[in-house]
Amino acid sequence: MQNAVILINTEKGQVRAVAERLADVEGISEVYSTCGRYDLVAIARTRDFESLAQLVTEHLNRVEGIRDTETLNAMQVHSRHDLETMFSVGW
């Protein structure tokens, strides 16, 4: 399994539309809208590095409204918590 965090900036006024498009892309497991330097954070989970490379260089390039991206390739897990627990607000 190959995981990555993809930081995304969208064209003006396109955050929601891009998030919805990304959620439909195979290999993207979650999409979060954020405050700060980036508009969206997408979590990618693919079977291997080649699949991740294809996702980032081919599939994301087809998503209308993305201005730029930065991909952080996960190398090693340092937490016993899963992502759902980490991002849960606990309500």
Side-chain angles (χ1 to χ4, degrees), residues 6-20:
I6 305 170
L7 308 172
I8 302 162
N9 281 316
T10 67
E11 299 296 335
K12 187 175 180 177
Q14 294 294 305
V15 172
R16 179 169 289 205
V18 170
E20 290 173 0

Side-chain angles (χ1 to χ4, degrees), residues 16-76:
R16 179 169 289 205
V18 170
E20 290 173 0
R21 289 181 198 118
L22 285 171
D24 290 334
V25 173
E26 185 176 344
I28 300 294
S29 61
E30 298 108 272
V31 181
Y32 300 94
S33 56
T34 62
C35 310
R37 184 173 170 189
Y38 296 96
D39 298 318
L40 298 169
V41 174
I43 307 299
R45 299 177 191 279
T46 61
R47 68 180 177 277
D48 53 34
F49 183 77
E50 289 76 21
S51 299
L52 177 63
Q54 184 176 26
L55 171 68
V56 172
T57 61
E58 295 179 25
H59 299 288
L60 292 189
N61 283 337
R62 294 186 206 140
V63 176
E64 186 179 335
I66 292 179
R67 190 175 67 225
D68 55 62
T69 66
E70 183 174 348
T71 301
L72 307 175
N73 190 24
M75 298 187 326
Q76 191 173 15

